[in-house]
Every structure is written in structure tokens, then in C-alpha cells.
């Protein structure tokens, strides 16, 4: 695996054994000519558990205008039913103690779920940053390899031209 060691030394300035996992994967992808980039949404969602997907769904619904408007309609209906419609036998008369309990429980459950979702968003941002780093690193390696190819090609052409000039000088000296 000598060429891999040489590539690691040239590109990263360290032996192949000292490369971290990301550098090793990127170098292997580059060496084999494989595509490194992928759909990050699919890659990230495949790593999520069922509970994480449910919590994200709850946070998505809880932070939407549909939820806010729906909840306002629910609150208006609750107060109308318990003050006007059921004025004598209301199940939660003014000052709406049971409604206060329901709202407190909802807030107690919804707040940690939203915080968990925010933590996962931070983890997703780190995941995307690492994927960006991998793609950028591979692009840099490919550019360096391309520069090396072009430099080698030009050096070969210059050497051929030097040989041709020397040959022409010999021809001129002989005449």
C-alpha cells in the first residue's frame, strides 16, 4: 500500500497511520475515483430513532401557525362553552382551573420536546459541517492531483523540447 502512504505524506504531511478516519475515507474515495457527496437529509434521517422523529414532528407542529391558530380556537371554545353554553353546569367554571392545569401540563411536556429537537438540530448542523469538510477535503485533494498531473505533463514536454533543441544543435553543428 505504498502509493497510499505516499499520497498521505504528500497531501496531509503525515504518514497514513496518523490519518484520522475522515482523512482516510476521503483519500480512499479520491484514490478509487468514487463520489463522496451524498444527500445529507437521507443520511441524517437514517440515523434518527423513532422517538427522535416523533419529537421532531411534535416540535414542528407545536411551532407552526396552524397549531397557534388551532389552540386559540380551542381556548375560545373552552371559555365560551364554560361561560355561556353551560352557564349553570359548567365542567370548568371561571376562573378555569382545569384549563390552567391542562395548559401547564402541555407546557411542561412541550418545552422539553422542543429543547430536544433544538439539540438534535445542533447535532444535525455538526453532521452537515463534517460532510462539508469531507467534500471540501476531497475537492482539495482532487485539485492537488490535477495540478500534479499538469505539472508532470509540462515537465515531460519541456524535457522533450530540450532533447529536440539538443538534437537540432547537433544537426546544425554537423552542417
Amino acid at each position: 500500500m505504498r502509493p497510499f502512504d505516499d499520497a498521505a505524506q504528500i497531501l496531509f504531511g503525515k504518514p497514513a497511520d496518523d490519518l484520522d478516519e475522515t482523512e482516510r475515507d476521503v483519500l480512499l474515495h479520491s484514490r478509487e475515483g468514487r463520489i463522496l457527496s451524498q444527500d445529507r437529509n437521507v443520511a441524517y434521517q437514517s440515523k434518527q430513532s423513532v422517538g427522535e422523529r416523533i419529537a421532531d414532528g411534535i416540535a414542528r407542529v407545536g411551532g407552526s401557525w396552524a397549531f397557534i391558530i388551532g389552540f386559540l380556537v380551542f381556548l375560545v371554545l373552552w371559555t365560551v362553552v364554560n361561560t355561556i353554553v353551560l352557564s349553570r353546569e359548567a365542567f370548568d367554571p371561571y376562573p378555569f382551573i382545569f384549563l390552567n392545569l391542562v395548559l401547564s401540563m402541555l407546557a411542561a411536556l412541550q418545552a422539553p420536546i422542543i429543547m430536544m429537537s433544538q439539540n438534535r438540530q445542533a447535532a444535525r448542523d455538526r453532521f452537515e459541517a463534517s460532510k462539508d469538510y469531507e467534500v471540501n477535503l476531497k475537492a482539495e485533494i482532487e485539485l492537488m492531483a490535477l495540478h500534479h498531473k499538469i505539472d508532470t505533463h509540462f515537465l515531460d514536454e519541456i524535457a522533450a523540447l530540450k532533447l529536440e533543441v539538443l538534437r537540432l544543435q547537433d544537426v546544425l553543428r554537423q552542417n
Side-chain angles (χ1 to χ4, degrees):
M1 196 171 222
R2 177 103 171 109
F4 188 79
D5 293 335
D6 291 343
Q9 190 64 44
I10 291 167
L11 297 170
F12 295 105
K14 53 187 171 183
D17 295 338
D18 292 346
L19 296 177
D20 65 25
E21 184 180 343
T22 301
E23 292 168 337
R24 183 177 298 280
D25 286 346
V26 168
L27 193 55
L28 284 172
H29 274 83
S30 177
R31 186 169 161 225
E32 295 169 3
R34 291 187 290 146
I35 293 175
L36 181 66
S37 61
Q38 59 186 5
D39 185 353
R40 293 182 188 130
N41 291 324
V42 172
Y44 184 76
Q45 287 173 354
S46 68
K47 293 181 181 184
Q48 280 189 312
S49 70
V50 174
E52 289 172 336
R53 285 193 292 270
I54 291 171
D56 285 342
I58 291 171
R60 192 171 23 263
V61 169
S64 69
W65 279 108
F67 175 79
I68 292 170
I69 292 169
F71 206 70
L72 283 174
V73 168
F74 168 76
L75 291 175
V76 168
L77 285 174
W78 184 285
T79 56
V80 167
V81 165
N82 281 291
T83 55
I84 298 172
V85 176
L86 300 174
S87 60
R88 290 180 187 237
E89 306 223 4
F91 60 89
D92 188 23
Y94 182 81
F96 310 116
I97 303 297
F98 185 61
L99 177 63
N100 190 16
L101 175 66
V102 169
L103 293 175
S104 296
M105 288 190 309
L106 178 68
L109 290 174
Q110 195 176 22
I113 290 172
I114 290 172
M115 288 173 51
M116 288 185 325
S117 181
Q118 288 175 334
N119 288 341
R120 270 191 304 287
Q121 183 60 44
R124 182 185 189 119
D125 291 343
R126 286 190 299 276
F127 176 78
E128 288 187 13
S130 73
K131 292 299 177 187
D132 283 342
Y133 171 72
E134 289 176 6
V135 170
N136 290 339
L137 186 60
K138 183 170 185 227
E140 190 174 345
I141 288 171
E142 294 295 332
L143 280 173
M144 290 171 76
L146 187 59
H147 278 286
H148 179 71
K149 266 185 190 177
I150 291 171
D151 291 346
T152 302
H153 178 72
F154 281 140
L155 289 174
D156 291 345
E157 276 190 24
I158 289 170
L161 288 172
K162 281 183 178 180
L163 287 173
E164 183 63 22
V165 167
L166 289 174
R167 189 188 67 75
L168 288 173
Q169 283 177 343
D170 286 344
V171 169
L172 286 174
R173 281 189 199 129
Q174 289 175 359
N175 289 338

